[in-house]
Amino acid sequence: DVSKKIKTDAADTADTNKEFEFTADFTFPNGTDATTLGAKATIGDSTTSITGTSHTFKLKHGQNVKFTGLPVGTKISVTESATPNYKGSAAVVINGVTQDTVTASKYDEAITVFDKKLGQKKNAVDVTNTYNNVPVTGIIMNNLPYIAMIVIGAAALVVYVQNKRKNLQ
């Protein structure tokens, strides 16, 4: 089971209808594959068959995907793609045991829960994204020092040219 939440405050402008892209990669036990038990992924009322060793899906805030028909011993890796202005973290429970939380180190970074062997008890990856509420000011702070250097350089050039003209007269 993979679930999705967006952590937001009332003042934030996070879009709770935004879709986040995920990929689940499966390593099936020897002699089995996605068709052995009829592996499926269900989101709400929509169920799709899993074919091959990878399944891509999208989740919005409050949604989850439930995987069924996976052979016991299947290993799963779940990746949430990088999304601008969001930083993800994943609380992981495998076979009823809470695992270490996977957290992105910065905004706009993909997170992956690697090679977890599914058991018969609860298996869940609960992903929460924190929205980075960046006020729109029209000035990109990363570029401000360079813009300031250009303005200062242009002003110095104007002063230099005016002084040269005065000295020539």
Side-chain angles (χ1 to χ4, degrees):
D1 194 36
V2 178
S3 68
K4 176 76 195 154
K5 281 192 303 190
I6 297 174
K7 188 174 169 184
T8 181
D9 296 330
D12 284 350
T13 55
D15 181 4
T16 55
N17 288 317
K18 180 171 188 48
E19 290 185 324
F20 293 80
E21 188 167 306
F22 291 83
T23 303
D25 294 307
F26 304 98
T27 304
F28 297 103
N30 288 339
T32 66
D33 61 20
T35 62
T36 302
L37 298 174
K40 295 185 178 356
T42 303
I43 301 173
D45 295 334
S46 174
T47 300
T48 55
S49 293
I50 296 172
T51 56
T53 58
S54 186
H55 183 71
T56 301
F57 55 96
K58 293 182 179 183
L59 295 176
K60 295 178 187 177
H61 173 70
Q63 285 187 317
N64 70 313
V65 62
K66 185 174 185 91
F67 295 110
T68 56
L70 297 172
V72 172
T74 298
K75 287 186 178 179
I76 187 171
S77 293
V78 177
T79 302
E80 181 188 38
S81 299
T83 305
N85 293 325
Y86 289 88
K87 181 173 20 173
S89 68
V92 183
V93 176
I94 300 296
N95 200 20
V97 179
T98 300
Q99 310 285 308
D100 290 337
T101 299
V102 176
T103 305
S105 59
K106 60 184 180 182
Y107 288 90
D108 193 16
E109 181 178 67
I111 60 169
T112 302
V113 175
F114 287 105
D115 274 340
K116 299 297 181 185
K117 189 173 185 177
L118 301 177
Q120 292 182 346
K121 296 180 183 173
K122 180 180 178 181
N123 299 291
V125 176
D126 298 321
V127 179
T128 301
N129 284 85
T130 303
Y131 180 66
N132 185 19
N133 188 16
V134 180
V136 179
T137 61
I139 298 174
I140 301 170
M141 296 308 285
N142 291 345
N143 297 338
L144 189 60
Y146 302 106
I147 294 169
M149 288 188 332
I150 291 169
V151 169
I152 291 170
L157 180 64
V158 168
V159 170
Y160 175 77
V161 169
Q162 286 178 344
N163 284 342
K164 270 295 204 195
R165 285 189 179 167
K166 285 182 184 178
N167 289 341
L168 290 175
Q169 289 176 357

